Amino acid sequence: MQYGFYIDQTRCIGCHACVVACKDRNDILPGPVALRKLYQEEQGTFPNSNVINTTLSCNHCADPKCIPACLFNAIYKDDKFGAVVVDRNKCQGAGSCITACPYKAIDMADTGANYNENYTQEPQKGIYWQVDHPANKCDMCLPLIKKGEKPTCVATCPQRALDWGPIDMLKSSYPDAVDYVEINVNGANIYADPSETHPSVIFRKKVRI
């Protein structure tokens, strides 16, 4: 069964709670690395203005391009939930998965000194995200959902702008949802055509002006 996410643009207020909770869950230090990202687009001018917030992580695609792109067979699809997961013990940091993913869902930890230059507290030994095999991405909180819990981002959202479950059930529960939205960053739409990978995510669109 394929599980996935529902994202409601009309409810998301851009509070970054899901982003911060995800970083905390995965022991990621303050900085640019994030497994769930928030994109904000401002439209129009006052008094006719609009803000569209969209939170995205890995889409756990039905046909993920990152898996065949990996040179070391370090990415696989979980049999029970359909989550796309990186085996960091196999990853060698080649970066081919980053190039292959049309949604830019995979991050590479910064292994240089610059990542820590403004961070004075020593990280706890053994849990720091900066490792020798650095590729990582949203794993759908696989350890949590195996215990019957929700992914951290879904459980954290104060606006209930996120939901998670079997993708067919989500489509039934949210019949007005669509599988494609525009996400404009610096004047360019960064959200790829879903026919490329069949992502396991649906959206409630906010009206654009």
Side-chain angles (χ1 to χ4, degrees), residues 13 36 45-46 61 67 76 84 91 94 97 107 117 129 146 172 174 180 183 188:
I13 59 173
R36 178 168 284 280
T45 56
F46 182 82
C61 302
I67 292 179
Y76 66 95
V84 178
C91 172
C97 56
D107 264 320
E117 64 181 2
W129 200 78
K146 284 182 176 180
S172 177
Y174 303 103
Y180 175 80
I183 302 175

Side-chain angles (χ1 to χ4, degrees), residues 75-91:
I75 308 177
Y76 66 95
K77 200 163 175 63
D78 172 73
D79 291 336
K80 184 173 181 180
F81 296 98
V84 178
V85 184
V86 176
D87 183 342
R88 304 186 76 202
N89 293 317
K90 293 182 178 180
C91 172

Side-chain angles (χ1 to χ4, degrees), residues 43-55:
Q43 296 181 302
T45 56
F46 182 82
N48 298 312
S49 60
N50 191 28
V51 177
I52 299 178
N53 300 304
T54 310
T55 174

Side-chain angles (χ1 to χ4, degrees), residues 68-140:
C70 180
L71 305 174
F72 304 97
N73 298 315
I75 308 177
Y76 66 95
K77 200 163 175 63
D78 172 73
D79 291 336
K80 184 173 181 180
F81 296 98
V84 178
V85 184
V86 176
D87 183 342
R88 304 186 76 202
N89 293 317
K90 293 182 178 180
C91 172
Q92 300 299 309
S96 54
C97 56
I98 294 176
T99 303
C101 176
Y103 304 104
K104 309 303 179 188
I106 303 174
D107 264 320
M108 195 71 73
D110 187 346
T111 55
N114 290 337
Y115 189 76
N116 276 327
E117 64 181 2
N118 296 317
Y119 194 80
T120 57
Q121 182 178 346
E122 287 293 325
Q124 298 178 46
K125 185 177 181 181
I127 64 169
Y128 183 31
W129 200 78
Q130 180 177 312
V131 294
D132 292 336
H133 310 302
N136 207 358
K137 52 176 285 303
C138 163
D139 63 357
M140 206 186 284

